[in-house]
Amino acid sequence: MKRSTLVIVFLLGVSLSFAQECDKTLTGKVIDFHDGKPLKSATITFNSITIVTDSNGIYTINDLCSVSYAFTVSHVNCNAQVFTIDMSKVTTKDFYLEHHLNELEEVKVAGTIKQETSSSQEQTINTDIIEKYSSATLGDALREIPGVSSLNTGSTIVKPIIQGLSGSRVLIMNNNVRMQDMEWGDEHAPNIDINTAGSVTVVKGASALQYGGDAIGGIIIMKPNRVAAKDTLFGKTIITGATNGRGGSISSKIVKGYENGWFLKAQGALKRFGDFEAPDYVLSNTGVFEKGASIAFGINKFEYGLDAYYSFYDAEIGVLAASHIGNPDDLIQSINSGQPDIIRDFTYDIENPRQEVTHHLGKVTYYKRFEELGKWTTQYDFQHNQRFEFDTRRTDELSKRPSIDLELTTHTLISDFYFDAKPNYSLKVGVLLRYQDNFADALETGVRRLIPDYDKYDVGAFLTGEFDINESLILDAGIRYDFNRIDAKKFYLLTRWDERGYETDFADIVIDRNVIGSQLLTNPMFDYHNISSTVGIQYSFKEDYQLRANYALAQRAPNPAELFSDGLHHSAARIEIGDLRFDQETSHKFSASLQKNNEKWGWEIAPYINFINDYILLEPTGTSLTIRGPFPVWEYRQTDARLLGVDAKMYVNWFKHWQTDHNFSLVKGKEIDNDIPLINMPAPNFANKITFLKEDWFNLQASLESQYTFRQNEFPPNIDVFSQDAGEDVELEINTPPDAYHLLNFDTNMEFKLGEKNDLKVGLTINNVLHTKYRNYLNRQRYFADDLGRNFLLRISINY
């Protein structure tokens, strides 16, 4: 009976198929989704039948039945797509493919990173360098780039400096989110785990206007690797161990991708070091304990996509015990003696003075592409930054309470549209809304607020464009407007209020003159209107030469520290004083670069000049007496400044297995009116490296690097302070730079296959091979101790 039923069903199906009329016709075009051009010789495949489009991208398919068909449409350099069409309802259909798909990927076929701009100076560090610095900091890794140095507080608090500028003038983008982590402090390092990045690009200057118009120094752009739309599962684990600090780190990530475009990524890192060591002694209380994790998921299709991301960063950082002084004589003694006043045995314990920092970051991004038009992207991100700074206070009970407790919460909404349909030009237009709240918990600390409570509001809009004049010449330009409002509640001591002469200019902001403790409460509210713009060219000639030239106008509103600082900054062990009268900085930067690149050798020379009106600097001015004794006083001041410099690099492939790399950087900063050198300008430096490569020997790479840092001979005058020991004013050489120094570093690595899909990479780095004693002018702890001695660092990377 069952067999008979199957036969009847089969015969009925055959009879119905013969009875069905298959006289339908489908016509249309195969079109480039990107720019609307018809695609010649595109193929349409169904039921083992293939149709090819003509020179106008037109196709015709006859003899179709009134049923649904799955058509596979493909073209050279396009991802094939499947379209399901019900022929009972449709007679014409245009198929859209993305013919420029490779151009939209972040990583090109040649392995170079897509440039953020066409005309500015920029450079990218790749995965190999990120792995090398897996247990270090973002600032350490960026020193591989000419023109990038760092402002250090010891070995673990490292702030990037780009062509002489740092802090609020350097914008850091982490997975397309602008970091908001109290970057105004010299000893506030970026709250970022470098292991979350797939690549890091430095744009020198404010020409990448889509990210912000106030990046007078430059922009650091950290991007994760994209997940391909295919079924895949892979991961990586990096383990490091170091002798200096007797610690190490572990970082691991795993990625799961699906053919339908969905993906999931998870990453975590742990770093632990004890006291670091100079060549002759332990740098007591310089340990670090750092934890980080991130997770991301979403869907990544060509037509649309959604990405959700969350990261957590937590760090406990010790500050050199000897760097917290009690009076100017302690500082004089430290500078003159050549070694710290406090030297203890090695330990992993982190005591006061120390920092505890946590940072939460979350974002949701949605994008959609529109046929023959472009791509619309909208993103919301949230950040919460909590900073505790602990000082050595009068009693053990007080020492358990933070001296600074700051909580910064930021909400940002951005939306932009990228018009990229035209072959010879593209435009991007976007808007930004941001709200930020800072809460300083004086009840928890028991001390006056260094930075007050405030609300900050930002609104921005930009337009950028890139124009291909011809095959050799590209023009890019852009303009941006930003509105910033800061609304603060700040207590002033009457003595400070009178000392600064604020009653004359700011009497209207006082809201309570009867505060206990000879104070008054004010409500300063400031609005800033900032205009930024850029224009530049990229000209390629003689096959392997390229010229770039750029002008960038940038304006930066003063940050809360520059406006409101008023008291003892415990982590820095100094009194800092801001000024309510500050205007925004205005930068006019002219930069150029000429480069040649081929397989044999290449070079680049990149000069620049940056005129900054109303430049805000922080400098030592004297001492002040507190209940804890005298402390150095550092005051913010505005002046007109000029920064003139050049970055240069060269590589030569001498023989099959030998290569050399050479970098040089020089920047000179001066106050224009009185010709006084600017404080904290990087000293000139040379770096030369010779590398041996042998792919047959398990992809062996071995390099020896020579770093020479000149003495900074241009620095502002020292100050006179009263010495209790001498009973008179004496010169405090707080600005005098240390001597020049030379370091040798060694690095090597090899790769081994562990099966078909897994591999093991082993590397060894030796920093300061000769165990050289030195002090870096841009290390705030140079007054108290030498820099790091020799360090052996072993790293193991497993790809699976």
Side-chain angles (χ1 to χ4, degrees):
M1 182 63 183
K2 184 176 180 181
R3 183 176 299 176
S4 300
T5 302
L6 292 175
V7 171
I8 291 170
V9 171
F10 173 75
L11 292 175
L12 284 173
V14 171
S15 63
L16 287 173
S17 64
F18 277 107
Q20 187 176 17
E21 295 182 0
C22 294
D23 58 354
K24 299 291 184 178
T25 298
L26 182 66
T27 62
K29 291 183 178 181
V30 178
I31 300 172
D32 186 340
F33 188 106
H34 183 77
D35 56 20
K37 290 183 178 181
L39 297 180
K40 176 185 176 182
S41 300
T43 60
I44 304 171
T45 304
F46 69 102
N47 296 348
S48 301
I49 299 173
T50 298
I51 305 296
V52 181
T53 60
D54 64 15
S55 59
N56 295 316
I58 297 173
Y59 72 89
T60 301
I61 307 176
N62 298 314
D63 303 326
L64 297 174
C65 302
S66 297
V67 296
S68 293
Y69 288 86
F71 298 100
T72 300
V73 186
S74 61
H75 189 262
V76 177
N77 294 329
C78 294
N79 278 355
Q81 295 196 51
V82 177
F83 300 87
T84 301
I85 297 176
D86 186 350
M87 286 306 303
S88 65
K89 300 177 181 179
V90 177
T91 58
T92 62
K93 174 65 176 178
D94 290 340
F95 298 115
Y96 284 86
L97 295 180
E98 177 45 52
H99 185 247
H100 298 76
L101 192 65
N102 288 336
E103 297 179 13
L104 299 175
E105 297 291 338
E106 292 177 6
V107 182
K108 295 183 179 179
V109 175
T112 58
I113 305 297
K114 187 178 185 299
Q115 296 283 336
E116 295 292 335
T117 69
S118 294
S119 61
S120 63
Q121 301 173 5
E122 62 179 89
Q123 189 171 334
T124 297
I125 59 175
N126 57 24
T127 303
D128 290 339
I129 296 178
I130 293 173
E131 285 188 10
K132 177 181 175 181
Y133 290 93
S134 176
S135 63
T137 68
L138 174 66
D140 292 320
L142 292 178
R143 287 200 294 259
E144 295 268 345
I145 298 176
V148 181
S149 47
S150 63
L151 185 65
N152 289 32
T153 301
S155 57
T156 54
I157 303 175
V158 185
K159 294 177 67 68
I161 299 177
I162 301 177
Q163 294 181 336
L165 300 173
S166 64
S168 297
R169 302 180 186 94
V170 173
L171 188 159
I172 300 178
M173 300 297 299
N174 179 13
N175 200 353
N176 206 44
V177 176
R178 176 170 178 166
M179 295 298 294
Q180 304 286 340
D181 52 5
M182 307 175 194
E183 74 286 345
W184 42 263
D186 284 351
E187 72 296 332
H188 298 178
N191 300 151
I192 293 176
D193 175 15
I194 192 174
N195 296 287
T196 62
S199 66
V200 184
T201 298
V202 173
V203 180
K204 301 173 182 177
S207 54
L209 292 181
Q210 67 266 36
Y211 299 116
D214 55 346
I216 292 176
I219 304 171
I220 299 168
I221 303 167
M222 301 175 60
K223 289 186 176 182
N225 291 325
R226 297 186 61 176
V227 181
K230 61 182 181 180
D231 287 327
T232 183
L233 177 65
F234 61 91
K236 176 188 290 187
T237 297
I238 304 173
I239 302 171
T240 68
T243 57
N244 200 330
R246 307 182 197 180
S249 68
I250 180 170
S251 173
S252 189
K253 65 180 178 181
I254 190 166
V255 180
K256 172 60 179 174
Y258 297 89
E259 191 173 0
N260 60 8
W262 285 95
F263 67 89
L264 175 66
K265 297 191 291 185
Q267 180 267 343
L270 183 68
K271 179 167 69 176
R272 184 72 167 102
F273 285 94
D275 291 336
F276 291 91
E277 298 179 47
D280 294 336
Y281 44 78
V282 173
L283 301 170
S284 296
N285 201 52
T286 55
V288 60
F289 186 25
E290 184 178 303
K291 302 176 285 291
S294 66
I295 186 170
F297 68 92
I299 185 170
N300 183 19
K301 288 182 174 290
F302 174 71
E303 293 86 357
Y304 65 91
L306 178 70
D307 177 13
Y309 175 82
Y310 167 77
S311 69
F312 169 75
Y313 174 90
D314 178 87
E316 184 180 9
I317 305 169
V319 178
L320 181 71
S323 67
H324 274 222
I325 57 174
N327 56 64
D329 286 308
D330 289 346
L331 185 55
I332 294 170
Q333 175 63 26
S334 264
I335 292 174
N336 293 337
S337 68
Q339 74 174 37
D341 290 336
I342 301 174
I343 301 176
R344 310 185 185 114
D345 292 336
F346 172 88
T347 179
Y348 290 98
D349 296 335
I350 300 176
E351 300 176 350
N352 294 357
R354 61 189 171 91
Q355 301 178 7
E356 290 183 8
V357 184
T358 59
H359 192 90
H360 299 266
L361 184 155
K363 74 154 191 172
V364 178
T365 305
Y366 174 78
Y367 70 84
K368 180 174 176 57
R369 298 185 191 273
F370 294 87
E371 298 172 359
E372 302 179 40
L373 191 60
K375 178 182 178 183
W376 170 59
T377 304
T378 293
Q379 175 179 296
Y380 164 76
D381 60 75
F382 165 84
Q383 296 179 72
H384 181 266
N385 188 271
Q386 180 81 60
R387 165 172 286 272
F388 298 107
E389 297 183 3
F390 294 86
D391 197 6
T392 304
R393 302 173 73 173
R394 294 189 304 272
T395 66
D396 291 340
E397 189 62 31
L398 283 175
S399 293
K400 295 176 183 178
R401 300 171 64 181
S403 300
I404 289 181
D405 179 351
L406 296 176
E407 184 178 358
L408 187 68
T409 304
T410 308
H411 303 266
T412 305
L413 180 66
I414 56 176
S415 185
D416 63 65
F417 200 98
Y418 183 39
F419 298 90
D420 62 349
K422 301 301 180 182
N424 58 344
Y425 73 89
S426 62
L427 298 172
K428 179 177 279 191
V429 59
V431 295
L432 172 145
L433 300 172
R434 177 177 292 127
Y435 167 71
Q436 187 174 85
D437 170 67
N438 181 74
F439 174 65
D441 194 345
L443 294 178
E444 175 66 20
T445 63
V447 297
R448 294 183 65 247
R449 297 172 176 89
L450 173 68
I451 304 295
D453 299 343
Y454 66 81
D455 295 316
K456 189 169 182 288
Y457 307 87
D458 300 320
V459 179
F462 70 89
L463 172 66
T464 61
E466 185 175 293
F467 310 88
D468 296 341
I469 308 301
N470 53 48
E471 292 184 356
S472 301
L473 183 61
I474 298 175
L475 169 69
D476 68 356
I479 187 168
R480 182 181 178 110
Y481 166 77
D482 288 284
F483 168 76
N484 312 120
R485 167 171 288 183
I486 186 164
D487 183 357
K489 293 289 181 62
K490 174 161 180 59
F491 292 93
Y492 274 99
L493 292 171
L494 289 175
T495 53
R496 183 78 72 195
W497 184 262
D498 294 336
E499 171 193 302
R500 308 298 290 180
Y502 285 157
E503 185 64 28
T504 303
D505 298 327
F506 300 105
D508 57 324
I509 71 172
V510 179
I511 58 178
D512 188 351
R513 293 182 177 272
N514 298 308
V515 180
I516 297 175
S518 300
Q519 297 184 89
L520 46 81
L521 177 61
T522 65
N523 179 205
M525 184 182 299
F526 300 111
D527 293 343
Y528 300 95
H529 302 271
N530 303 314
I531 296 292
S532 305
S533 63
T534 182
V535 62
I537 61 167
Q538 178 190 116
Y539 178 57
S540 303
F541 58 101
K542 291 185 178 179
E543 295 186 1
D544 49 8
Y545 284 87
Q546 188 178 91
L547 171 67
R548 293 181 171 212
N550 178 270
Y551 162 73
L553 163 69
Q555 289 191 307
R556 182 186 73 89
N559 64 44
E562 294 162 340
L563 290 169
F564 305 126
S565 287
D566 178 26
L568 183 60
H569 192 171
H570 293 264
S571 182
R574 65 192 185 195
I575 295 171
E576 297 178 4
I577 301 175
D579 198 320
L580 296 176
R581 299 182 179 89
F582 284 158
D583 294 322
Q584 66 256 58
E585 294 179 338
T586 301
S587 165
H588 301 271
K589 184 174 183 178
F590 301 86
S591 63
S593 68
L594 178 63
Q595 61 181 1
K596 171 188 173 65
N597 290 293
N598 58 36
E599 293 184 1
K600 182 65 178 177
W601 72 302
W603 52 265
E604 179 181 14
I605 183 167
Y608 58 90
I609 186 168
N610 195 352
F611 297 95
I612 307 177
N613 298 329
D614 297 317
Y615 176 80
I616 301 174
L617 56 85
L618 178 62
E619 62 184 1
T621 58
T623 61
S624 179
L625 184 65
T626 73
I627 59 175
R628 286 190 51 211
F631 276 88
V633 176
W634 290 61
E635 293 190 43
Y636 289 96
R637 177 172 63 88
Q638 273 194 314
T639 185
D640 293 338
R642 179 189 67 244
L643 282 79
L644 176 67
V646 62
D647 301 328
K649 63 179 181 179
M650 183 175 69
Y651 67 86
V652 183
N653 295 314
W654 295 95
F655 306 103
K656 182 178 180 180
H657 304 296
W658 293 93
Q659 174 182 317
T660 59
D661 295 271
H662 314 273
N663 295 333
F664 173 74
S665 294
L666 169 69
V667 57
K668 291 180 175 291
K670 288 286 185 70
E671 293 187 40
I672 294 176
D673 292 338
N674 52 26
D675 201 35
I676 295 177
L678 294 177
I679 194 171
N680 288 336
M681 286 291 107
N685 60 87
F686 260 120
N688 299 282
K689 181 167 65 175
I690 183 169
T691 304
F692 174 76
L693 306 98
K694 184 73 170 177
E695 293 184 2
D696 297 341
W697 296 356
F698 301 101
N699 202 21
L700 170 67
Q701 295 186 35
S703 63
L704 182 65
E705 181 184 39
S706 165
Q707 293 181 345
Y708 186 83
T709 300
F710 294 83
R711 184 180 187 271
Q712 176 55 275
N713 291 320
E714 298 183 357
F715 56 94
N718 291 307
I719 61 173
D720 291 332
V721 298
F722 180 77
S723 169
Q724 294 177 321
D725 292 344
E728 60 182 0
D729 286 345
V730 298
E731 182 184 19
L732 178 63
E733 295 190 64
I734 197 168
N735 290 326
T736 302
D739 294 333
Y741 59 88
H742 175 238
L743 302 177
L744 285 179
N745 304 311
F746 175 77
D747 183 75
T748 184
N749 59 77
M750 301 177 74
E751 295 182 9
F752 306 91
K753 281 292 183 183
L754 301 177
E756 294 183 2
K757 297 183 178 180
N758 305 332
D759 61 73
L760 170 70
K761 189 174 182 179
V762 180
L764 173 67
T765 298
I766 309 175
N767 291 320
N768 194 0
V769 173
L770 301 180
H771 211 41
T772 300
K773 291 174 57 177
Y774 71 99
R775 300 194 182 196
N776 188 324
Y777 173 59
L778 295 178
N779 192 332
R780 289 184 60 253
Q781 293 183 357
R782 64 183 171 86
Y783 307 121
F784 314 103
D786 293 331
D787 229 301
L788 295 185
R790 185 186 298 115
N791 184 24
F792 291 85
L793 192 149
L794 177 68
R795 61 185 178 275
I796 300 173
S797 174
I798 306 171
N799 292 285
Y800 43 86

